[in-house]
Amino acid sequence: MPAPRDLPIYELEARLVDSVRAHGRLIVQAPTGSGKSTQVPQMLLAHGLLGGRGEVVVLQPRRLAARLLAKRVAEEVGTRLGEVVGYQIRLDSRVSEATRIRFVTEGILLRQMSFDAALRGISAIVFDEFHERHLYGDISLARALQIQRTHRPDLKIIVMSATLDAALLRDYLAPCETLTSQGRTFPVRVDYLPKAVNFEHDPVWAVAARECERIAAQTSGDLLVFMPGAFEIGRTVQEIQGSHALRGFACFPLHGELPPEAQDSAVARYDTRKIIVSTNVAETSLTIDGVTAVVDCGLARVARYDPHRGINTLLIEKISVASADQRAGRAGRTAPGVCLRLWTEREHAQRALQELPEVKRLDLAEVVLTLKAAGMDDIHAFPWLEKPEPKSLERAETLLEDLGALHGAGKTITEVGRRMLRFPMHPRYARMFLAAQDYGCVRSVALMAALTQGRNFLLRGVDKRTQEARDDLFGAESESDFFLLMRAWRYADKANYNMDACRRLGIHAQAVRQVGPLFEQFLEIAAGEKLDVTEKRIDGVAVRKCVLLGFSDHLARRIDKGTLRCELVHGRKGVLARESCIQDAPLFVAAEITEIESRGEVNTLLNLNTTVEEAWLKELFPEDFQDAGGVVYDEAQRRVLARKERRFRDLVLESKQTADEPPEGQAAALLAREVMAGRIVLTEWNESVEHWIVRVNCLAKWWPELEVNPITDADRATLIEQICYGSYGARELKDKPVMPVLRDWLLAEQLAVLDDYLPERIVMANGRKARVTYTKDGPPVLSARIQELYGVESKFTLGHGRVPVKIEVLAPNQRPIQVTDDLSNFWREQYPKIKNELSRRYPRHEWR
């Protein structure tokens, strides 16, 4: 391990100190292993940039990296961890009043900003590994800039990364200098597998262990193996430890769920060669000395918004090219190295170049709630580094309103919302935990939260034998699909996740194994917030009320008993999944909503369902429950009817027809919607009507001085609604006149000018009328038979010479011969060539 002063980052020390003093903001680009994470905070302290008692806060994307970096810096400073150097992560903290360098995860700082906008006691913030573009890192940087520009001009901000879009950041942080360290790395040879491997049939840990045997024989240093999660790491370690060829190696797992002692063991130096099996925490955040070979499985757990469940999930996905390059670079820190990728070169070419920033792929509800708590009421005006989609922000605010975390026209945070912020999890489950404490079912909610984080482990569409085995072991269930999953997990857990036992009941053994550690994590969070996590008899009603509070925006009502069709809150429709155990429930919430496209149609499937009672809606959401009169379009009768309705938000729970006649305006609007959707046809709205609209729009475009309003698509809807006014059903609209309403669009003088300037037909020399066709973009086209054009030599124009007209010359059978804007040329050049043939085919017509 090189001495700290020998690290490449010290090449920038003088310029770094000067720049921070001059501007208060700085970007540092330096490759992994250059020493930036450990040395830059020490530089700030050593050069007196933290003031008298101020501290530097170093943001790390991962908990494991925050703790291990703090430990290393404490050793270098010569102090015990928790004194001058400390760390603060979820559920663990080692800091004191003497702490001057504090390593934290991103959510810790953002929460501190929510409760202390002046960031008292903090002199500098260092954003490390910023290229990973974690959501909380983006938001924390934006808030730090706001605080620096308002309350704390003395606050220093440093953004560091191995690789990042420096131009984007430089503009965002301006005025700001960028310093670059080239680092010192050795060449790394990258190898691929000769043919693709299916990890479903040949487990990734078995493939990795085999390749470790081969690579170990070709290299002399330590090996670093990348795996997506704790389970895969554990299996890989087992395979390696059971390998005869690798018996001389020490093998260590490395991931965030390990106890601190085990993490320290993985990064320590040993006399024997070692193999570290790690998550992507070793990709950039940590430097592990002595590694000369990397075996990369190409997978990672990626945080992504799952629209089916309405929450963020961590699912295993293929890493990007950029991440693969970062992993390969770990083999070239101290000597030339080799990286073996467990995929083919052809597959590599099909991978994404880099990951999307989290702000583009995560649900924003949790971060919006945090910003609201900090007083950022207008989240659209927040200074985002990259603005999220407006729909993502609207979806987040709507969900938080549904959860009771925001209220009013200004969508300000409520007391419930502030209490929800205490839980570092998705707001849906934060709300459920608050309710679970009141109802005495915290353990059940913790297990439900764990069940929804990964893939569904209870396989669907199983054969009759498997279904019967499930029924025998799990019993009948009609209240919640969650309850069935809970029993299945407990069965698998008691069976120690035995593959045969799980297969017999259609349980995916690898997926169900992930639930237990997550369950423990959620229980730790709940216990940390002083919730009662003791074992209690499960009260089904209490648990179902908690689900309702977390997923009230997924409330669904069965439309009829004969089908599985349902209506949902927020104007959506769906179909109850056939596999769901709540087939007879009239009212339920769906924790998973999946859109499936089939034959050009999108079907919305409702799964992971829980039955609820209407009385609970009144009890839990009294303000969202209302009785009102309503007007609906009845598809069966094809008429607009007046009804008396009982609603939860915009979902109609019960509707009864009344004898009252619906208001004409509301009836017209509903009928117009059906017309626009093509379910009601106005027979009088024909081709000639469309042609008239084109003429009006041409008049507006070519004669702007007439101040004619063009008819847009939105105007069409308005006109159709006017046509429907006074009607109540499809039958009355069938032959209803259309043109009287359309003609009212124009003033009398505009209407007269329309027929004068842009007539539908023009009288020819022989007294016959020729049709003029108008189009959106091109010039008008006059269609006439050759005989009607005899004696006409000049060009045609409309509107007193302003608009030139093209001539479509027709044969006697009305088929076009030529389209021209110069008849003189037609008579001279084209007519002599076609006259003889046409006169033979049509001898009864005049041919001059």
Side-chain angles (χ1 to χ4, degrees):
M1 184 187 300
R5 297 291 310 184
D6 294 334
L7 290 165
I9 194 66
Y10 276 98
E11 299 165 0
L12 303 178
E13 182 177 15
R15 291 169 60 199
L16 186 149
V17 170
D18 290 344
S19 183
V20 171
R21 280 202 172 108
H23 303 296
R25 292 197 284 273
L26 176 66
I27 298 170
V28 177
Q29 277 187 291
T32 302
S34 60
K36 62 184 182 301
S37 301
T38 57
Q39 304 310 306
V40 168
Q42 294 184 63
M43 291 178 191
L44 298 177
L45 180 62
H47 287 275
L49 293 171
L50 303 182
R53 294 295 310 151
E55 67 173 346
V56 53
V57 174
V58 186
L59 263 75
Q60 284 295 326
R62 296 179 180 84
R63 292 178 292 161
L64 185 152
R67 195 191 68 78
L68 290 180
L69 286 168
K71 181 174 181 289
R72 179 172 294 185
V73 174
E75 290 170 356
E76 292 178 1
V77 171
T79 179
R80 285 193 304 179
L81 187 60
E83 293 179 352
V84 175
V85 183
Y87 67 87
Q88 196 174 359
I89 61 178
R90 192 179 75 186
L91 303 178
D92 190 12
S93 177
R94 293 285 292 277
V95 293
S96 66
E97 291 185 2
T99 301
R100 306 293 304 285
I101 300 174
R102 175 163 55 109
F103 288 84
V104 304
T105 44
E106 295 158 330
I108 297 289
L109 180 65
L110 190 55
R111 286 170 192 278
Q112 186 174 346
M113 290 171 166
S114 299
F115 302 112
D116 178 14
L119 290 180
R120 287 179 294 246
I122 297 177
S123 298
I125 304 175
V126 176
F127 295 82
D128 198 15
E129 306 300 351
F130 194 77
H131 69 276
E132 295 191 18
R133 295 299 308 281
H134 287 252
L135 177 58
Y136 275 98
D138 278 16
I139 302 302
S140 299
L141 178 59
R143 285 289 294 127
L145 273 176
Q146 282 186 319
I147 290 168
Q148 188 190 55
R149 287 167 175 160
T150 52
H151 312 299
R152 291 286 310 283
D154 62 313
L155 182 67
K156 296 161 183 63
I157 299 172
I158 301 176
V159 181
M160 306 197 304
S161 173
T163 57
L164 57 81
D165 185 350
L168 175 70
L169 260 179
R170 196 163 43 243
D171 292 342
Y172 186 66
L173 295 173
C176 176
E177 191 175 352
T178 301
L179 301 182
T180 303
S181 169
Q182 298 306 318
R184 301 177 202 133
T185 57
F186 292 85
V188 176
R189 186 184 84 240
V190 177
D191 294 338
Y192 296 88
L193 292 181
K195 62 179 183 179
V197 177
N198 184 343
F199 291 144
E200 288 286 332
H201 298 123
D202 198 357
V204 64
W205 47 84
V207 178
R210 284 200 307 266
E211 296 303 328
C212 280
E213 292 175 359
R214 187 168 63 83
I215 295 295
Q218 302 173 5
T219 57
S220 57
D222 296 337
L223 278 71
L224 174 60
V225 182
F226 283 101
M227 283 285 149
F231 171 69
E232 294 80 11
I233 287 173
R235 291 302 299 266
T236 307
V237 170
Q238 285 178 15
E239 292 278 343
I240 290 170
Q241 289 174 337
S243 166
H244 182 74
L246 298 172
R247 66 181 183 274
F249 283 78
C251 186
F252 300 95
L254 182 61
H255 56 81
E257 295 168 26
L258 289 171
E261 305 77 37
Q263 295 171 355
D264 294 342
S265 296
V267 298
R269 296 299 299 265
Y270 296 91
D271 294 333
T272 59
R273 293 177 72 186
K274 68 176 178 180
I275 301 174
I276 306 102
V277 188
S278 174
T279 59
N280 56 2
V281 69
E283 187 178 305
T284 56
S285 303
L286 294 173
T287 295
I288 303 173
D289 297 300
V291 171
T292 58
V294 165
V295 176
D296 184 4
C297 75
L299 303 172
R301 289 196 179 278
V302 178
R304 194 177 298 279
Y305 173 66
D306 184 348
H308 305 161
R309 307 175 201 192
I311 59 171
N312 294 324
T313 57
L314 275 172
L315 298 178
I316 294 176
E317 296 183 9
K318 293 176 181 177
I319 62 170
S320 68
V321 171
S323 289
D325 290 343
Q326 287 286 339
R327 291 181 175 187
R330 312 306 289 175
R333 281 281 300 113
T334 55
V338 60
C339 171
L340 174 66
R341 292 172 174 165
L342 302 184
W343 63 95
T344 66
E345 198 163 1
R346 183 176 180 182
E347 288 174 314
H348 187 71
Q350 297 169 347
R351 295 197 169 211
L353 292 178
Q354 50 193 178
E355 281 84 10
L356 271 177
E358 283 190 349
V359 74
K360 299 284 189 182
R361 57 181 160 89
L362 285 186
D363 174 46
L364 301 177
E366 190 174 353
V367 81
V368 165
L369 186 60
T370 306
L371 290 175
K372 295 279 187 180
M376 304 288 114
D377 288 332
D378 186 359
I379 55 171
H380 294 272
F382 183 72
W384 305 89
L385 174 58
E386 282 189 68
K387 265 195 182 302
E389 294 293 325
K391 281 187 178 178
S392 297
L393 291 174
E394 288 167 17
R395 182 180 66 218
E397 285 192 314
T398 300
L399 172 58
L400 290 170
E401 282 186 284
D402 289 341
L403 293 173
L406 303 180
H407 75 102
K411 297 180 181 176
T412 53
I413 191 167
T414 64
E415 183 55 36
V416 168
R418 293 192 186 279
R419 289 171 60 205
M420 285 165 58
L421 269 178
R422 291 164 32 205
F423 297 88
M425 61 183 65
H426 192 277
R428 288 189 189 277
Y429 290 101
R431 183 68 188 91
M432 287 171 65
F433 269 111
L434 287 178
Q437 177 66 7
D438 296 335
Y439 289 120
C441 55
V442 172
R443 291 188 73 87
S444 295
V445 166
L447 179 53
M448 291 167 80
L451 289 167
T452 58
Q453 301 303 301
R455 61 184 285 187
N456 192 343
F457 60 78
L458 201 58
L459 302 179
R460 295 170 181 169
V462 295
D463 57 39
K464 185 178 179 183
R465 186 174 172 184
T466 304
Q467 188 59 55
E468 287 173 350
R470 281 183 186 176
D471 293 341
D472 289 344
L473 272 167
F474 303 154
E477 177 54 54
S478 60
E479 291 186 337
S480 177
D481 293 324
F482 273 117
F483 295 166
L484 203 60
L485 284 178
M486 289 172 162
R487 290 173 205 156
W489 174 74
R490 289 194 177 97
Y491 165 82
D493 189 51
K494 283 181 181 176
N496 203 25
Y497 308 103
N498 177 274
M499 295 284 282
D500 292 332
C502 289
R503 190 181 298 114
R504 192 163 57 251
L505 292 173
I507 296 173
H508 193 290
Q510 188 175 334
V512 76
R513 188 186 292 269
Q514 311 293 325
V515 174
L518 288 167
F519 181 32
E520 293 301 323
Q521 278 186 28
F522 281 118
L523 286 176
E524 280 185 51
I525 292 169
E529 292 301 326
K530 307 294 188 292
L531 302 189
D532 181 3
V533 296
T534 56
E535 285 273 11
K536 295 182 179 178
R537 187 182 65 82
I538 295 177
D539 180 349
V541 169
V543 175
R544 286 190 288 147
K545 284 184 178 180
C546 290
V547 177
L548 174 57
L549 282 162
F551 289 89
S552 65
D553 59 318
H554 287 187
L555 181 73
R557 180 186 71 86
R558 293 283 290 277
I559 293 175
D560 52 60
K561 288 188 177 180
T563 71
L564 298 174
R565 296 183 306 145
C566 304
E567 289 180 329
L568 288 92
V569 170
H570 301 313
R572 296 165 294 174
K573 286 192 162 110
V575 177
L576 175 65
R578 293 189 182 278
E579 308 90 67
S580 178
C581 69
I582 62 150
Q583 293 294 311
D584 297 325
L587 204 60
F588 62 93
V589 287
E592 185 175 300
I593 299 180
T594 310
E595 289 186 346
I596 301 171
E597 190 169 351
S598 175
R599 298 177 184 174
E601 292 186 359
V602 176
N603 295 317
T604 303
L605 202 63
L606 309 180
N607 226 313
L608 206 51
N609 305 304
T610 298
T611 61
V612 297
E613 304 292 334
E614 188 176 312
W616 302 350
L617 298 177
K618 291 181 180 178
E619 173 193 338
L620 302 175
F621 307 96
E623 294 180 2
D624 294 334
F625 206 92
Q626 58 180 340
D627 292 307
V631 175
V632 297
Y633 178 75
D634 188 289
E635 293 179 14
Q637 299 183 50
R638 304 192 76 201
R639 285 190 65 78
V640 176
L641 305 172
R643 289 185 175 273
K644 189 176 182 181
E645 296 177 344
R646 189 164 69 257
R647 297 183 180 185
F648 174 74
R649 296 176 186 153
D650 64 346
L651 177 65
V652 177
L653 300 176
E654 186 181 34
S655 178
K656 293 181 179 177
Q657 184 175 342
T658 68
D660 300 332
E661 199 168 73
E664 290 181 315
Q666 292 182 40
L670 288 173
L671 290 172
R673 186 182 68 189
E674 297 300 306
V675 172
M676 294 292 288
R679 292 185 287 267
I680 293 179
V681 177
L682 294 170
T683 54
E684 291 297 306
W685 192 297
N686 50 29
E687 186 183 341
S688 65
V689 170
E690 292 292 344
H691 195 239
W692 187 87
I693 290 173
V694 174
R695 287 169 64 210
V696 169
N697 290 345
C698 288
L699 188 69
K701 180 167 67 173
W702 293 334
W703 283 275
E705 67 271 18
L706 295 177
E707 299 182 350
V708 173
N709 292 319
I711 299 174
T712 65
D713 288 342
D715 296 327
R716 281 171 178 265
T718 303
L719 289 166
I720 289 171
E721 192 169 323
Q722 290 177 20
I723 292 164
C724 294
Y725 196 83
S727 300
Y728 295 96
R731 185 178 297 178
E732 299 164 46
L733 289 175
K734 186 180 177 185
D735 299 317
K736 195 164 186 180
V738 166
M739 283 310 298
V741 172
L742 266 65
R743 286 181 177 278
D744 281 344
W745 183 263
L746 301 178
L747 301 173
E749 53 269 31
Q750 292 172 335
L751 200 57
V753 167
L754 175 66
D755 291 331
D756 179 23
Y757 285 9
L758 302 177
E760 284 189 88
R761 296 182 179 274
I762 295 177
V763 179
M764 308 301 292
N766 60 4
R768 294 194 176 183
K769 293 181 179 179
R771 179 182 173 82
V772 181
T773 303
Y774 300 87
T775 61
K776 283 188 206 175
D777 303 314
V781 178
L782 173 79
S783 300
R785 286 184 300 160
I786 286 180
Q787 285 76 16
E788 294 169 342
L789 295 170
Y790 286 155
V792 180
E793 297 282 345
S794 61
K795 295 181 178 181
F796 272 88
T797 59
L798 294 174
H800 303 292
R802 184 180 288 195
V803 181
V805 178
K806 282 191 176 295
I807 310 297
E808 183 181 53
V809 183
L810 306 177
N813 65 350
Q814 300 292 330
R815 290 187 176 177
I817 300 169
Q818 179 87 19
V819 177
T820 180
D821 51 12
D822 186 353
L823 274 176
S824 299
N825 183 66
F826 170 75
W827 296 127
R828 186 172 60 253
E829 301 290 337
Q830 301 297 323
Y831 185 63
K833 298 176 184 176
I834 60 175
K835 176 182 175 183
N836 290 337
E837 182 186 346
L838 289 173
S839 61
R840 282 197 307 271
R841 291 174 63 185
Y842 305 103
R844 295 184 181 181
H845 292 267
E846 179 187 5
W847 298 100
R848 294 183 186 176

